Amino acid sequence: MKRSLLFFALVMASYGAVQAQVTTSSMTGIVTQTSGSTTQGATIKAIHVPSGTVYSGSANAAGRFNLANMRVGGPYKIEVTYVGQQPVTYDDIYLQLGQPFVLNPVFGENATTLQEVTVTGQVRRTQKTGASTSIGQKQLQELPQVERSITEFMRLTPQANGNSFAGRDARYNNLQIDGANFNNGFGLSGGPIPGGNSQPISLDAIEAISVNIAPFDVTQSGFTGAGINAVTKSGTNKITGTAYYFLQNQSLQGRKIDDITLDKVDAAKKNFGFSLGGPIIKDKLFLFVNAEREEATGGMLLEQIYGKLLKTE
């Protein structure tokens, strides 16, 4: 009886650890010959060019390989080698958060028996694991935004209605940043991020975002709306930095509702900050810091709106 109770307690204690922490990407595929036979023992090496980080592995008896826990983004340089074969190389490969990149290299005939070797390969960009949307660095930098919040990019998902997904209340989502929960646990509003209108992490520090509606991966759990995963940036071998300033004032606020014109109220919202990244030890240890400050003054009072509407009645 005591053993049964102990086992039950251990199962319940490990329940919270079942939820996956989606912070990396991966690469998978099958190495074959032009004849169609698989290539057992081929070596696959992936180099993250900006940081010099190397991921390597070998193909098993079925020619299949899997490189796990890879850094999001890129570019990557991929080199596939095998004894007696010309290496197969790929450049400018980019990985998306939580989505395996499928690469199927194909070797030509043995290089020692031919005058000319033709190397071909098959590349499939990503392997979908259910209804999901991936937002990379290019979209984060180029798409317009008003609040500089992760929630603005979550709406790129076709199933999104504001912060609600697939008809579920926003409080049924699960938001993780670098594997840590950032949910609105108190639940007084429909916003998925704690802190009201303030952002706990600057958008300038976000590397990639993924929104999963119905993942095939059973380890992704803890939500019935959407699982939102984001990862922050890391330094590279190149020293980089940003400095920014954003301003919204009363000139960007609407003041007319039908025939009612509201009084102009001085209001402003200012965001300013910086980020800095670079190497501490080249190819091994990196630094990335970000700081942002938000200031808001004034605002359009609801009492003014209600007052104007009551006068018209």
Side-chain angles (χ1 to χ4, degrees), residues 34-224:
T34 53
S35 61
S37 60
T38 58
T39 307
Q40 179 182 358
T43 300
I44 300 91
K45 182 169 71 174
I47 303 173
H48 184 256
V49 177
S51 66
T53 307
V54 177
Y55 305 87
S56 61
S58 59
N60 60 17
R64 185 176 296 277
F65 68 92
N66 181 51
L67 304 181
N69 299 321
M70 298 179 69
R71 189 166 165 171
V72 176
Y76 276 88
K77 180 178 180 180
I78 314 299
E79 186 177 72
V80 185
T81 58
Y82 188 65
V83 177
Q85 297 287 351
Q86 291 283 352
V88 180
T89 60
Y90 301 90
D91 295 309
D92 295 326
I93 300 295
Y94 289 83
L95 305 185
Q96 296 180 345
L97 178 62
Q99 293 192 12
F101 187 99
V102 180
L103 183 70
N104 295 322
V106 180
F107 283 116
E109 297 295 335
N110 194 305
T112 60
T113 61
L114 296 176
Q115 296 294 328
E116 180 180 354
V117 175
T118 302
V119 179
T120 60
Q122 178 184 0
V123 178
R124 291 175 56 192
R125 290 298 176 191
T126 55
Q127 180 180 2
K128 285 288 187 179
T129 57
S132 62
T133 302
S134 294
I135 301 99
Q137 193 60 211
K138 181 178 175 64
Q139 292 169 297
L140 292 174
Q141 292 177 348
E142 296 181 355
L143 290 179
Q145 71 244 210
V146 177
E147 300 176 353
R148 288 182 51 78
S149 172
I150 292 176
T151 58
E152 294 187 286
F153 296 94
M154 290 160 42
R155 296 164 190 167
L156 294 174
T157 303
Q159 296 87 351
N161 180 14
N163 295 323
S164 173
F165 293 86
R168 297 294 288 171
D169 188 277
R171 284 163 286 199
Y172 288 94
N173 301 329
N174 185 33
L175 173 63
Q176 291 187 336
I177 300 179
D178 286 339
N181 285 327
F182 270 76
N183 296 310
N184 181 8
F186 213 56
L188 294 181
S189 67
I193 299 178
N197 294 326
S198 300
Q199 305 303 316
I201 292 183
S202 168
L203 188 64
D204 197 59
I206 299 297
E207 174 74 23
I209 304 170
S210 73
V211 181
N212 299 296
I213 303 298
F216 299 156
D217 186 357
V218 296
T219 63
Q220 296 191 40
S221 60
F223 61 91
T224 57

